[in-house]
Amino acid sequence: MSTTKNLFPLNGDLNRRKFIYNLTKVAGVTALLTSPLAGKAGSFFDVEKDITVGEIMDMFTKQISGAPFSNTVDTLKAGSRDIKVTGIVTTMFATVEVIKKTIALGANFIIAHEPTFYNHQDETTWLANDDVYRYKADLLKQHNIAVWRNHDYIHSLVPDGVRMGLLKQLNWSGYYNPSASNILMLPATSLGSLIEYVKQKLFISKVRYIGNLNQSCKKILLMPGAAGGTRQIQAMSKEKPDVLICGEIQEWETAEYVRDAQAKGQNLSLIVLGHIASEEPGSEFMATWLKEKVPGIKITHILSNNSLSFL
């Protein structure tokens, strides 16, 4: 009997051999390997010149069609574009814990996917006298750390960087179809086995779900993050998947639709991963991109982990 470990074949893993091969062709490689930087993780070249926060931001956004966007949440939340980068941390949330780990690493640039100050626009006027906000903002200022939110831009990559990071971690990259990016046609498996598989691959202790654990699942609608009830329901109505796997839901919207669909006799199930678990691989994707583009800078991905615990 197969187990969740081999339910799905390994697809889409990054091949790092090509990068190592290219490294050997760089002029003066022997000298570089004996430099002080050679012993640092993620550092293969000397930095030819100081690189700034703004230059790295521009390097990423220039590959996005229509960028820079005039209306975006992807702005600096702390620091300035002129800060010379000593190291970069990628993460889902620039939490106080992540900031302290950044300081310990000697890094000064955090690229986060989600807000730093507890609301989508990172508006802080309403927090001006709040002790928690002030502590966090002061910590960033004292250590001259820049925080850039990369949300709209990474989702605007073609294909979506967050989605591709998630597919890679699930070993499902080989099932990606550019013409139907939300839909995956997987080898048939039970809902229960599918749940155990995603928990294992994404390091999730528990998920919320609706459905019969013995139901056969093959057509997957994958919607990481918080797409919203309307988009989730419209996608289920159009695509008729066996199961929707999503980041988070409005309990009074998507879950109720699935419950009624089941009462109608439809084989439609729901797996709710949690917002962070579903999009954290996007920050891993960002770290990989940075290591390829700025190999002279130490890049570290730090898990922000779930703020909630489960009993």
Side-chain angles (χ1 to χ4, degrees):
M1 181 181 295
S2 63
T3 66
T4 56
K5 292 184 180 180
N6 58 16
L7 276 173
F8 309 108
L10 182 65
N11 289 286
D13 282 347
L14 291 176
N15 189 341
R16 301 185 186 277
R17 293 180 183 176
K18 183 177 179 181
F19 179 79
I20 299 300
Y21 172 75
N22 289 338
L23 176 62
T24 63
K25 298 191 294 184
V26 178
V29 67
T30 303
L32 290 175
L33 291 175
T34 58
S35 74
L37 284 176
K40 295 185 178 181
S43 298
F44 295 95
F45 300 89
D46 282 319
V47 182
E48 295 181 358
K49 67 180 184 65
D50 291 328
I51 189 165
T52 66
V53 165
E55 287 173 324
I56 291 174
M57 291 168 62
D58 293 344
M59 190 185 306
F60 188 84
T61 58
K62 75 178 182 181
Q63 65 189 324
I64 312 296
S65 177
F69 301 155
S70 58
N71 182 22
T72 179
V73 295
D74 291 7
T75 57
L76 282 172
K77 313 306 178 183
S80 75
R81 288 176 53 91
D82 298 328
I83 292 175
K84 295 177 181 178
V85 177
T86 60
I88 305 173
V89 164
T90 65
T91 190
M92 267 288 284
F93 285 92
T95 66
V96 169
E97 182 180 10
V98 168
I99 294 167
K100 289 180 177 179
K101 288 180 179 179
T102 300
I103 295 167
L105 286 167
N108 65 350
F109 185 21
I110 299 173
I111 300 178
H113 185 61
E114 297 295 3
T116 299
F117 298 119
Y118 325 118
N119 65 99
H120 186 56
Q121 299 292 338
D122 278 297
E123 295 175 351
T124 58
T125 303
W126 63 287
L127 291 166
N129 298 317
D130 181 85
D131 292 345
V132 175
Y133 160 71
R134 285 261 48 98
Y135 176 82
K136 190 174 193 178
D138 289 345
L139 187 64
L140 290 166
K141 185 175 182 180
Q142 288 164 10
H143 293 274
N144 196 32
I145 294 174
V147 177
W148 177 45
R149 184 179 181 190
N150 185 3
H151 179 275
D152 298 348
Y153 287 117
I154 194 169
H155 277 305
S156 298
L157 276 176
V158 180
D160 183 315
V162 174
R163 181 179 306 281
M164 299 314 292
L166 177 59
L167 290 175
K168 178 179 181 296
Q169 189 159 331
L170 288 169
N171 291 337
W172 288 351
S173 300
Y175 300 110
Y176 174 73
N177 180 358
S179 64
S181 60
N182 284 343
I183 296 297
L184 304 172
M185 298 302 296
L186 304 182
T189 188
S190 69
L191 177 63
S193 294
L194 182 60
I195 288 173
E196 289 305 314
Y197 181 84
V198 298
K199 284 168 60 178
Q200 176 198 37
K201 289 296 183 182
L202 300 179
F203 310 105
I204 305 171
S205 61
K206 297 180 185 296
V207 300
R208 295 187 295 171
Y209 78 96
I210 297 175
N212 181 340
L213 293 176
N214 295 318
Q215 177 198 328
S216 178
C217 297
K218 183 176 181 180
K219 186 175 184 179
I220 312 299
L221 175 60
L222 185 66
M223 301 183 75
T230 300
R231 287 178 59 197
Q232 290 168 342
I233 292 168
Q234 287 177 335
M236 286 186 285
S237 178
K238 175 185 176 183
E239 301 293 347
K240 298 294 189 292
D242 298 317
V243 59
L244 165 64
I245 302 178
C246 64
E248 67 175 81
I249 61 169
Q250 295 277 21
E251 293 183 22
W252 42 275
E253 295 176 342
T254 304
E256 292 306 315
Y257 178 86
V258 174
R259 175 154 62 174
D260 283 347
Q262 291 214 333
K264 168 181 168 290
Q266 191 169 326
N267 285 327
L268 174 63
S269 295
L270 171 68
I271 302 174
V272 184
L273 303 173
H275 194 120
I276 295 174
S278 75
E279 290 201 317
E280 183 80 57
S283 293
E284 291 268 19
F285 173 95
M286 187 67 199
T288 300
W289 184 90
L290 287 163
K291 288 174 183 177
E292 293 172 353
K293 300 300 182 182
V294 285
I297 298 291
K298 184 175 181 180
I299 314 297
T300 306
H301 175 65
I302 298 179
L303 295 170
S304 56
N305 295 315
N306 199 331
S307 53
L308 301 170
S309 299
F310 302 88
L311 287 176

